[in-house]
Amino acid sequence: MRYTLPLERITLSDYQQLLLKQNLLPGRRILLEQLEARFAMLCDQGLTTVAQLAAALSSPNKLSSLAAATGIPEEYLTILRRELGSLSQKPVPLSDFPACSPAQIRSLAEESIRTSKEYWERGGATQDELFSLCDLVRINGVGAVAARAFYEAGYSSVAAVANAAAAGMLKRVSAVNAEKSYYKAKLGEKDMQFCIDYAKLLVAYS
């Protein structure tokens, strides 16, 4: 099992569905324009996985060549490349998690374990609260404070999020945040559904 999604195994079809359900930033909503047709064009070029697509967009020359071969605007492919970059979650410093034991964080640092990835990969029998938080930040868009809110709302793992219902999850997470004020962002059902769908990918491709 890997900390991040194995991009070489994620199909373009799966990624297309993820984009459709994601609450994209305003500057990236262009990706939804002719999404099905444009992804079909990419598949016609022999690109079947996210890793292959990322490689095909990895340099300006490659991006231009793909644009010429498919007729997809370079602007669209440039934004797609940026969005692809968000698929791999960066490790979170353990010290960023709210309400965790400072003594535990210091002790782990002495063992050169300082990030969510390092603690998660140690795994094994050490599946405590901190492990749960490290598991939750594997979900795209979930940072340290959101992970704490998810955990206190009863979602202690990626698998728990994958099995959640968006409306119920939003209600429980919002109730925790209303009490603890972990984050200021106003989340909706679409945000919860994206987390659920991403968690399902992590489970499916683990």
Side-chain angles (χ1 to χ4, degrees):
M1 187 181 296
R2 285 164 47 171
Y3 182 79
T4 57
L5 280 173
L7 301 186
E8 71 279 2
R9 294 174 56 201
I10 306 297
T11 66
L12 287 195
S13 177
D14 280 344
Y15 185 53
Q16 178 182 330
Q17 292 305 310
L18 194 66
L19 282 175
L20 282 171
K21 295 174 181 177
Q22 188 171 353
N23 194 8
L24 292 167
L25 294 170
R28 296 189 181 182
R29 289 175 189 163
I30 186 177
L31 295 178
L32 300 179
E33 296 178 6
Q34 302 179 49
L35 180 64
E36 185 175 349
R38 285 171 171 168
F39 268 58
M41 293 174 189
L42 294 171
C43 288
D44 287 343
Q45 295 300 309
L47 304 174
T48 59
T49 70
V50 169
Q52 289 173 341
L53 176 58
L57 299 173
S58 61
S59 72
N61 286 341
K62 288 182 178 180
L63 189 150
S64 294
S65 295
L66 186 59
T70 60
I72 300 173
E74 286 194 28
E75 178 190 7
Y76 184 94
L77 293 176
T78 298
I79 294 172
L80 180 57
R81 180 179 63 189
R82 291 173 187 160
E83 185 61 29
L84 280 171
S86 69
L87 274 180
S88 297
Q89 281 286 81
K90 293 181 180 179
V92 172
L94 296 179
S95 57
D96 283 1
F97 289 115
C100 283
S101 165
Q104 182 184 18
I105 302 302
R106 286 195 300 270
S107 176
L108 289 168
E110 291 172 0
E111 300 176 41
S112 297
I113 297 174
R114 297 181 174 85
T115 70
S116 55
K117 183 175 186 290
E118 290 165 347
Y119 192 70
W120 186 88
E121 288 179 339
R122 189 175 82 165
T126 318
Q127 297 190 11
D128 55 3
E129 176 182 298
L130 184 56
F131 181 88
S132 291
L133 295 173
C134 292
D135 194 40
L136 289 167
V137 294
R138 295 168 61 216
I139 300 172
N140 191 358
V142 176
V145 291
R148 168 58 69 181
F150 283 17
Y151 180 82
E152 293 188 12
Y155 303 98
S156 60
S157 67
V158 164
V161 173
N163 290 319
M169 185 174 177
L170 177 62
K171 183 177 180 179
R172 290 166 63 176
V173 172
S174 296
V176 168
N177 194 54
E179 179 184 351
K180 302 290 185 65
S181 298
Y182 283 130
Y183 55 84
K184 294 181 180 179
K186 187 174 182 180
L187 302 180
E189 279 191 33
K190 190 169 184 179
D191 298 299
M192 295 297 110
Q193 189 60 56
F194 174 75
C195 289
I196 291 166
D197 291 334
Y198 195 91
K200 286 180 178 178
L201 285 180
L202 283 168
V203 170
Y205 287 100
S206 63

